[in-house]
Amino acid sequence: MASTQGVPPAFNNTVIKWIDKRLPIFTFMHHEYGVFPTPRNFNYWWSFGGIAMVMLITMIATGIVLAMNYTPHVDHAFNSVERIMRDVPQGWLIRYMHMNGASFFFIAVFIHIFRGMYYGSYKNPRELLWILGVVILLLMMATAFMGYVLPWGQMSFWGATVITNLFSAIPVIGNDIVTFLWGGFSVDNPTLNRFFSLHYLLPFVIVGVVVLHIAAMHVAGSNNPIGIDPKGPQDTLPFSPYYVTKDGFAVVIFITIYAAFVFFSPDFFGEADNYIPANPLQTPAHIVPEWYFLPFYAILRSIPDKLGGVIAMFGSIGVLFLLPWLDTAKVRSARFRPTFKWFFWLFLIVCLILGWVGGNAADAELKVGGMHIPLLWIGRLATAYYFFHFLILLPILGKIERPLPLPASIADSVLKPAVAR
């Protein structure tokens, strides 16, 4: 078929030609994923959007199979999961793919988000593209939380109890919201039923928002490592076959690592207590959420007031919606912002520290020489910096930082790699 953008492709297959004349889906795919002009300087960090899409498809496919064999009832949920593992043909594989797929889905999305922050992909004209990405993150977190409840182990039950109880901190209507979420006066069968229903539904909502996310990206165009817009055909390459091949290679490497965990260490990201049936009369010694919630859990615990902790936790995600306006710098890429680059890496380290603090008990201490430093205080310092980075540092830094000179075009940066390295 032809490869010139804007010119209808000449399909040789008679069936495809007949369908496309009446419903031009193949022409659409050709224009949007074939000859779509893409910056020629993409690196492998740009492959994680495609990797996240592959993981989303994997999660939906394995989830549908698991739902066929799962029983959403408090008396049977735990045993139905054990039956999937022991009696359903290849059920152990499907469940391990789903369990570990959630973690690797979040890994891909977190890398995708931090890449966008480093290269300024949230800046004009891509604000809505970024906002839709944050909406996807929120939907993923809600879906993952409700999915974690479904095995009905000890961590599932008590995790659901602790997290849903957070809404009771809302003045006046908090207790009513909790009762509504539970479907009663405690986490019980109605809770499990509605969580199962929503866990099955939300991935398809995520697919819808992903479609909008991709559409917004095709309208605004992709950002690139140097953060300047293409100025002509010399700055772009058609998406296929160049980036189809490059992203395909990245997907193969990522899936290989994912498969290694599925087959050789399937419980690496899990908690042993979740292999114990849920018992409302016995609280686990240490209730801990999944690793991808740990930074937000640390922020929640760092505030001594319950309502304040809830506000801080949700605010840590809500502030991402405002990032396109909080960062006042005109230059997008951190390659040309030497001061911002160091603060970005500091911010990444702070997020890792929050995750580490959230994974430890609230009264845990760090022993340094003869000193015992409470992790709670480390979490509070990290939380303070988290909000300082967005609300104070970025607005001020964008006005006072002196960026490096930008290359004249994307082609110049590719042909002269010494520039801005």
Side-chain angles (χ1 to χ4, degrees):
M1 66 179 71
S3 60
T4 305
Q5 188 186 26
V7 178
F11 297 106
N12 296 322
N13 187 289
T14 305
V15 176
I16 291 179
K17 187 183 299 184
W18 183 87
I19 295 173
D20 197 70
K21 185 176 181 180
R22 291 153 180 82
L23 184 64
I25 55 173
F26 296 103
T27 297
F28 172 80
M29 294 296 291
H30 173 74
H31 287 160
E32 297 299 324
Y33 296 99
V35 298
F36 182 74
T38 309
R40 65 185 294 173
N41 61 339
F42 277 176
N43 54 37
Y44 276 108
W45 297 119
W46 261 260
S47 298
F48 281 91
I51 290 171
M53 176 67 79
V54 170
M55 293 310 302
L56 174 60
I57 295 170
T58 301
M59 293 299 291
I60 291 175
T62 55
I64 289 173
V65 176
L66 290 173
M68 294 175 183
N69 298 279
Y70 175 75
T71 305
H73 190 284
V74 292
D75 294 334
H76 307 292
F78 186 86
N79 289 332
S80 71
V81 173
E82 290 302 305
R83 178 181 172 275
I84 289 171
M85 294 290 293
R86 300 170 188 273
D87 298 334
V88 175
Q90 308 307 317
W92 62 272
L93 176 60
I94 299 298
R95 189 190 174 214
Y96 281 153
M97 288 178 64
H98 199 73
M99 282 174 54
N100 290 277
S103 291
F104 277 84
F105 190 14
F106 271 97
I107 289 171
V109 169
F110 284 151
I111 293 174
H112 192 59
I113 289 172
F114 279 108
R115 185 270 296 167
M117 294 175 66
Y118 185 83
Y119 291 111
S121 297
Y122 48 83
K123 291 180 178 289
N124 179 40
R126 301 179 181 87
E127 300 95 334
L128 186 56
L129 173 65
W130 173 262
I131 289 172
L132 288 169
V134 179
V135 171
I136 292 170
L137 176 63
L138 277 173
L139 290 171
M140 285 176 58
M141 294 174 73
T143 305
F145 165 65
M146 286 182 281
Y148 191 58
V149 175
L150 300 186
W152 211 241
Q154 275 288 73
M155 280 298 173
S156 296
F157 176 84
W158 288 101
T161 301
V162 170
I163 299 302
T164 52
N165 254 311
L166 295 177
F167 291 94
S168 66
I170 301 174
V172 183
I173 61 172
N175 290 326
D176 293 331
I177 293 175
V178 173
T179 302
F180 174 76
L181 289 173
W182 287 347
F185 299 103
S186 65
V187 175
D188 209 329
N189 202 59
T191 317
L192 181 61
N193 269 275
R194 59 190 56 187
F195 277 23
F196 172 68
S197 179
L198 290 172
H199 182 70
Y200 195 95
L201 170 67
L202 285 181
F204 299 100
V205 178
I206 292 175
V207 170
V209 182
V210 166
V211 170
L212 295 177
H213 185 68
I214 295 173
M217 186 269 289
H218 279 249
V219 170
S222 298
N223 191 30
N224 60 85
I226 63 171
I228 64 175
D229 297 325
K231 295 180 171 60
Q234 73 279 3
D235 291 339
T236 63
L237 292 171
F239 185 78
S240 177
Y242 297 100
Y243 290 116
V244 170
T245 305
K246 187 171 187 174
D247 289 355
F249 176 74
V251 167
V252 169
I253 298 300
F254 190 86
I255 292 296
T256 301
I257 299 171
Y258 164 52
F261 277 88
V262 169
F263 288 106
F264 298 108
S265 189
D267 293 310
F268 180 83
F269 296 104
E271 288 290 330
D273 280 357
N274 223 29
Y275 284 100
I276 303 172
N279 183 357
L281 302 178
Q282 182 180 5
T283 308
H286 180 35
I287 300 173
V288 59
E290 290 286 75
W291 69 267
Y292 35 80
F293 293 135
L294 292 178
F296 309 105
Y297 188 55
I299 291 173
L300 170 71
R301 292 193 319 193
S302 68
I303 309 297
D305 178 68
K306 185 176 181 180
L307 177 59
V310 172
I311 292 173
M313 182 181 69
F314 285 107
S316 65
I317 304 171
V319 73
L320 296 176
F321 285 101
L322 303 176
L323 181 56
W325 297 276
L326 292 173
D327 187 354
T328 56
K330 302 301 181 184
V331 174
R332 292 180 186 139
S333 176
R335 285 189 179 181
F336 305 96
R337 301 181 62 189
T339 307
F340 169 80
K341 182 188 296 186
W342 288 106
F343 280 112
F344 170 84
W345 292 115
L346 177 60
F347 175 76
L348 178 59
I349 293 170
V350 165
C351 290
L352 295 175
I353 291 173
L354 283 170
W356 168 62
V357 170
N360 285 277
D363 58 352
E365 294 180 330
L366 175 65
K367 297 180 181 179
V368 180
M371 296 192 306
H372 294 258
I373 304 173
L375 291 190
L376 179 62
W377 287 102
I378 297 176
R380 286 175 176 172
L381 288 174
T383 298
Y385 181 81
Y386 183 96
F387 288 102
F388 167 81
H389 180 87
F390 286 112
L391 300 177
I392 298 176
L393 176 68
L394 290 182
I396 295 175
L397 188 63
K399 295 182 181 299
I400 65 174
E401 184 181 26
R402 182 174 297 177
L404 301 176
L406 295 173
S409 67
I410 294 175
D412 282 356
S413 70
V414 173
L415 298 175
K416 301 174 182 178
V419 176
R421 297 291 182 184

